[in-house]
Amino acid sequence: MATLIELHFIHPDGSRSSGKAKTGQSLMQAALALDIDEVAADCGGLLTCATCHVYLEDPDPARAAALPAVSADEDSMLEFAALPRQASSRLSCQIPLTPALDGLQVRLPESQY
């Protein structure tokens, strides 16, 4: 049974928005459901584009440790992100939401194109 967790988004202008999301879905799906404009998700989560690029810079080490490792396919696709890749760059379609990610902070890029 899915539970709800809180997600916090930091927009490029520094403003913040938060919302509840169901566990079991991807961070990308949650961002779309919460109308986060900075996540385009053109391929719908098929790992064939990089338009769901985000920066995961959560200050909580427990949440950071709960994130899945970057797969080889995600690593390759991140090279196609519109903005320069950073150490915290991830594709939100590859982050399944779990209860351990409750309170996750996500910094959004200025553009996906």
Side-chain angles (χ1 to χ4, degrees):
M1 183 171 157
T3 58
L4 292 177
I5 64 170
E6 187 83 17
L7 298 174
H8 305 284
F9 297 92
I10 304 167
H11 299 273
D13 66 1
S15 66
R16 295 172 180 258
S17 60
S18 298
K20 298 278 187 181
K22 292 180 185 177
T23 58
Q25 67 181 329
S26 71
L27 177 57
M28 178 207 75
Q29 292 168 319
L32 293 175
L34 293 168
D35 294 322
I36 302 298
D37 292 335
E38 293 88 350
V39 175
D42 287 349
C43 75
L46 297 176
L47 197 57
T48 59
C49 73
T51 61
C52 67
H53 177 221
V54 297
Y55 304 106
L56 296 182
E57 300 170 350
D58 196 290
D60 184 322
R63 277 193 298 267
L67 292 167
V70 177
S71 70
D73 288 339
E74 180 183 3
D75 188 53
S76 294
M77 191 55 60
L78 280 165
E79 297 303 322
F80 296 99
L83 295 181
R85 182 178 181 169
Q86 298 178 7
S88 63
S89 288
R90 294 296 303 267
L91 297 180
S92 58
C93 68
Q94 298 302 297
I95 308 296
L97 297 180
T98 65
L101 296 178
D102 188 28
L104 183 68
Q105 293 184 46
V106 179
R107 189 166 56 87
L108 300 162
E110 290 181 26
S111 176
Q112 296 288 356
Y113 304 102

